[in-house]
Amino acid sequence: MSPSGRARESSRTHVAYDDVNELIATATRLMQKDTAPETLTAEDLRRIGAELDIPARYVDQALEALARRREARALEARAREARACQRALRLRRVAWVGAVLLGLMAVAGLVVRNGLTSSMADVARQRAQVRNVLERRESLRARQASLTPGPERDAELSGADNRVSVEIRRYDERAASFNAAVMSFPAGWIGRWSGLPASLPLSSEVSTW
Protein backbone atom coordinates (compact mmCIF):
# COMPACT_ATOMS: atom_id res chain seq x y z
CA MET A 1 0.00 0.00 0.00
CA SER A 2 1.32 3.47 -0.87
CA PRO A 3 1.90 6.16 1.83
CA SER A 4 -1.13 8.10 0.56
CA GLY A 5 -3.22 4.95 0.83
CA ARG A 6 -2.02 4.31 4.37
CA ALA A 7 -2.80 7.95 5.27
CA ARG A 8 -6.38 7.60 3.92
CA GLU A 9 -6.75 4.30 5.82
CA SER A 10 -5.47 6.00 9.04
CA SER A 11 -7.90 8.92 8.56
CA ARG A 12 -10.79 6.51 8.76
CA THR A 13 -9.45 4.94 12.03
CA HIS A 14 -11.29 5.99 15.17
CA VAL A 15 -9.25 6.42 18.40
CA ALA A 16 -10.81 6.55 21.84
CA TYR A 17 -10.04 9.58 24.03
CA ASP A 18 -8.44 7.31 26.64
CA ASP A 19 -5.85 6.17 24.10
CA VAL A 20 -4.83 9.60 22.84
CA ASN A 21 -2.10 10.23 25.44
CA GLU A 22 -0.47 6.83 24.84
CA LEU A 23 -0.70 7.29 21.08
CA ILE A 24 0.97 10.73 21.20
CA ALA A 25 3.71 9.49 23.53
CA THR A 26 4.49 6.57 21.20
CA ALA A 27 4.57 8.85 18.17
CA THR A 28 6.90 11.25 20.00
CA ARG A 29 9.34 8.47 20.88
CA LEU A 30 9.35 7.24 17.29
CA MET A 31 10.03 10.74 16.01
CA GLN A 32 12.86 11.28 18.50
CA LYS A 33 14.39 7.97 17.52
CA ASP A 34 14.35 8.92 13.84
CA THR A 35 15.65 12.46 14.33
CA ALA A 36 18.18 11.98 17.16
CA PRO A 37 21.80 11.79 15.99
CA GLU A 38 23.61 8.50 16.53
CA THR A 39 26.60 10.27 18.15
CA LEU A 40 27.33 13.61 19.77
CA THR A 41 30.43 15.69 19.31
CA ALA A 42 32.39 17.20 22.18
CA GLU A 43 30.94 20.57 21.26
CA ASP A 44 27.42 19.12 21.44
CA LEU A 45 28.16 17.82 24.91
CA ARG A 46 29.59 21.15 26.05
CA ARG A 47 26.48 22.92 24.77
CA ILE A 48 24.24 20.43 26.60
CA GLY A 49 26.38 20.91 29.72
CA ALA A 50 26.05 24.65 29.45
CA GLU A 51 22.27 24.28 29.32
CA LEU A 52 22.52 22.27 32.53
CA ASP A 53 24.95 24.79 34.13
CA ILE A 54 27.88 22.35 33.90
CA PRO A 55 31.20 24.08 33.11
CA ALA A 56 32.93 22.91 29.92
CA ARG A 57 36.06 21.75 31.81
CA TYR A 58 34.00 19.13 33.66
CA VAL A 59 32.55 17.90 30.39
CA ASP A 60 36.09 17.63 28.99
CA GLN A 61 37.25 15.75 32.11
CA ALA A 62 34.30 13.39 31.78
CA LEU A 63 35.19 12.79 28.13
CA GLU A 64 38.80 12.01 29.10
CA ALA A 65 37.64 9.61 31.81
CA LEU A 66 35.32 7.92 29.32
CA ALA A 67 38.17 7.59 26.82
CA ARG A 68 40.41 6.06 29.51
CA ARG A 69 37.71 3.57 30.48
CA ARG A 70 37.17 2.59 26.88
CA GLU A 71 40.91 2.19 26.36
CA ALA A 72 41.18 0.10 29.53
CA ARG A 73 38.30 -2.12 28.38
CA ALA A 74 39.93 -2.51 24.97
CA LEU A 75 43.26 -3.42 26.57
CA GLU A 76 41.57 -5.93 28.85
CA ALA A 77 39.74 -7.47 25.89
CA ARG A 78 43.02 -7.77 23.97
CA ALA A 79 44.69 -9.26 27.06
CA ARG A 80 41.89 -11.83 27.40
CA GLU A 81 42.22 -12.69 23.74
CA ALA A 82 46.01 -13.05 24.10
CA ARG A 83 45.59 -15.30 27.16
CA ALA A 84 43.08 -17.43 25.28
CA CYS A 85 45.50 -17.75 22.36
CA GLN A 86 48.31 -18.71 24.74
CA ARG A 87 46.13 -21.36 26.38
CA ALA A 88 45.16 -22.77 23.01
CA LEU A 89 48.84 -22.79 21.96
CA ARG A 90 49.84 -24.59 25.16
CA LEU A 91 47.10 -27.16 24.63
CA ARG A 92 48.27 -27.76 21.08
CA ARG A 93 51.85 -28.13 22.28
CA VAL A 94 50.81 -30.57 25.01
CA ALA A 95 48.78 -32.57 22.49
CA TRP A 96 51.72 -32.61 20.06
CA VAL A 97 54.20 -33.66 22.75
CA GLY A 98 51.77 -36.35 23.93
CA ALA A 99 51.40 -37.70 20.42
CA VAL A 100 55.18 -37.76 19.96
CA LEU A 101 55.68 -39.53 23.29
CA LEU A 102 53.03 -42.10 22.47
CA GLY A 103 54.68 -42.72 19.11
CA LEU A 104 58.10 -43.11 20.71
CA MET A 105 56.68 -45.45 23.35
CA ALA A 106 55.02 -47.56 20.67
CA VAL A 107 58.27 -47.78 18.68
CA ALA A 108 60.28 -48.56 21.82
CA GLY A 109 57.76 -51.20 22.83
CA LEU A 110 58.00 -52.82 19.42
CA VAL A 111 61.79 -52.83 19.57
CA VAL A 112 61.79 -54.36 23.08
CA ARG A 113 59.21 -56.98 22.10
CA ASN A 114 61.19 -57.92 19.00
CA GLY A 115 64.33 -58.20 21.12
CA LEU A 116 62.64 -60.50 23.64
CA THR A 117 61.15 -62.62 20.87
CA SER A 118 64.54 -62.94 19.19
CA SER A 119 66.19 -63.87 22.51
CA MET A 120 63.56 -66.52 23.18
CA ALA A 121 64.10 -67.94 19.70
CA ASP A 122 67.85 -68.18 20.42
CA VAL A 123 67.08 -70.16 23.58
CA ALA A 124 64.80 -72.51 21.63
CA ARG A 125 67.49 -73.08 18.97
CA GLN A 126 70.10 -73.77 21.63
CA ARG A 127 67.80 -76.22 23.39
CA ALA A 128 67.41 -78.06 20.09
CA GLN A 129 71.22 -78.10 19.78
CA VAL A 130 71.53 -79.64 23.26
CA ARG A 131 68.99 -82.29 22.30
CA ASN A 132 70.97 -82.97 19.13
CA VAL A 133 74.33 -83.53 20.88
CA LEU A 134 72.61 -85.68 23.53
CA GLU A 135 71.14 -87.91 20.82
CA ARG A 136 74.50 -88.14 19.06
CA ARG A 137 76.20 -89.09 22.34
CA GLU A 138 73.64 -91.82 22.98
CA SER A 139 74.14 -93.16 19.45
CA LEU A 140 77.90 -93.14 19.96
CA ARG A 141 77.57 -95.00 23.24
CA ALA A 142 75.31 -97.61 21.62
CA ARG A 143 77.79 -98.20 18.78
CA GLN A 144 80.78 -98.51 21.09
CA ALA A 145 79.10 -100.68 23.75
CA SER A 146 80.31 -103.82 21.96
CA LEU A 147 83.83 -102.50 21.36
CA THR A 148 86.81 -103.32 23.53
CA PRO A 149 87.65 -100.43 25.87
CA GLY A 150 90.71 -98.50 24.80
CA PRO A 151 92.18 -94.98 24.60
CA GLU A 152 90.56 -94.21 21.24
CA ARG A 153 87.07 -95.23 22.37
CA ASP A 154 87.46 -93.40 25.68
CA ALA A 155 88.64 -90.22 23.95
CA GLU A 156 85.66 -90.28 21.56
CA LEU A 157 83.23 -90.72 24.45
CA SER A 158 84.95 -87.96 26.42
CA GLY A 159 84.70 -85.63 23.41
CA ALA A 160 80.96 -86.35 23.16
CA ASP A 161 80.53 -85.56 26.86
CA ASN A 162 82.44 -82.31 26.45
CA ARG A 163 80.25 -81.24 23.51
CA VAL A 164 77.14 -81.88 25.62
CA SER A 165 78.57 -79.82 28.50
CA VAL A 166 79.47 -76.93 26.19
CA GLU A 167 76.03 -76.81 24.55
CA ILE A 168 74.25 -77.02 27.92
CA ARG A 169 76.37 -74.13 29.21
CA ARG A 170 75.48 -72.08 26.14
CA TYR A 171 71.81 -72.88 26.71
CA ASP A 172 72.02 -71.66 30.33
CA GLU A 173 73.70 -68.45 29.21
CA ARG A 174 70.95 -67.68 26.69
CA ALA A 175 68.13 -68.62 29.07
CA ALA A 176 69.64 -66.50 31.87
CA SER A 177 70.00 -63.56 29.47
CA PHE A 178 66.33 -63.82 28.46
CA ASN A 179 65.20 -64.09 32.09
CA ALA A 180 67.20 -61.01 33.09
CA ALA A 181 65.76 -59.01 30.18
CA VAL A 182 62.16 -60.04 30.74
CA MET A 183 62.39 -59.13 34.45
CA SER A 184 63.59 -55.56 33.77
CA PHE A 185 61.36 -52.50 33.24
CA PRO A 186 59.70 -51.88 30.87
CA ALA A 187 60.59 -55.14 29.12
CA GLY A 188 58.74 -57.17 31.77
CA TRP A 189 55.51 -55.25 31.24
CA ILE A 190 55.86 -55.43 27.45
CA GLY A 191 56.62 -59.16 27.66
CA ARG A 192 53.50 -59.87 29.71
CA TRP A 193 51.40 -57.69 27.41
CA SER A 194 52.80 -59.64 24.41
CA GLY A 195 52.10 -63.02 26.00
CA LEU A 196 55.76 -63.99 26.40
CA PRO A 197 56.76 -66.27 29.30
CA ALA A 198 57.92 -64.64 32.53
CA SER A 199 61.05 -66.87 32.51
CA LEU A 200 62.65 -69.85 30.78
CA PRO A 201 63.98 -72.91 32.66
CA LEU A 202 67.70 -73.42 33.18
CA SER A 203 69.34 -76.79 32.51
CA SER A 204 68.98 -77.73 36.19
CA GLU A 205 65.22 -77.29 35.82
CA VAL A 206 64.86 -79.26 32.57
CA SER A 207 63.80 -82.87 32.99
CA THR A 208 63.52 -83.73 29.30
CA TRP A 209 65.33 -81.95 26.48
Side-chain angles (χ1 to χ4, degrees), residues 140 144 147-159:
L140 178 63
Q144 294 189 352
L147 298 179
T148 303
E152 184 177 350
R153 192 192 72 163
D154 293 342
E156 194 170 358
L157 288 174
S158 178

Side-chain angles (χ1 to χ4, degrees), residues 41-182:
T41 65
E43 188 59 34
D44 292 335
L45 293 172
R46 294 190 190 98
R47 186 170 56 254
I48 293 173
E51 293 175 357
L52 298 174
D53 295 328
I54 300 175
R57 67 177 184 276
Y58 293 117
V59 174
D60 292 340
Q61 292 174 5
L63 286 171
E64 292 174 0
L66 176 62
R68 287 194 296 271
R69 289 196 298 273
R70 287 179 174 175
E71 184 178 1
R73 286 195 294 269
L75 289 174
E76 178 62 26
R78 288 196 291 270
R80 286 196 300 270
E81 183 178 355
R83 289 194 294 270
C85 290
Q86 290 174 355
R87 285 194 296 270
L89 181 60
R90 284 196 296 270
L91 289 175
R92 285 196 294 270
R93 286 176 178 172
V94 169
W96 183 83
V97 171
V100 171
L101 288 177
L102 287 176
L104 291 176
M105 290 174 62
V107 172
L110 183 61
V111 170
V112 171
R113 180 181 180 278
N114 289 343
L116 291 174
T117 303
S118 177
S119 178
M120 189 171 65
D122 286 342
V123 175
R125 284 193 294 270
Q126 187 58 36
R127 184 165 182 168
Q129 179 63 17
V130 172
R131 185 164 53 247
N132 180 51
V133 293
L134 285 172
E135 292 174 353
R136 289 168 59 187
R137 186 180 66 177
E138 293 305 316
S139 297
L140 178 63
R141 286 177 176 177
R143 287 198 311 270
Q144 294 189 352
S146 60
L147 298 179
T148 303
E152 184 177 350
R153 192 192 72 163
D154 293 342
E156 194 170 358
L157 288 174
S158 178
D161 290 338
N162 288 336
R163 284 192 293 273
V164 169
S165 298
V166 169
E167 298 302 335
I168 289 177
R169 185 173 68 252
R170 290 175 178 171
Y171 168 84
D172 282 338
E173 290 173 353
R174 286 166 172 74
S177 177
F178 174 85
N179 292 342
V182 83

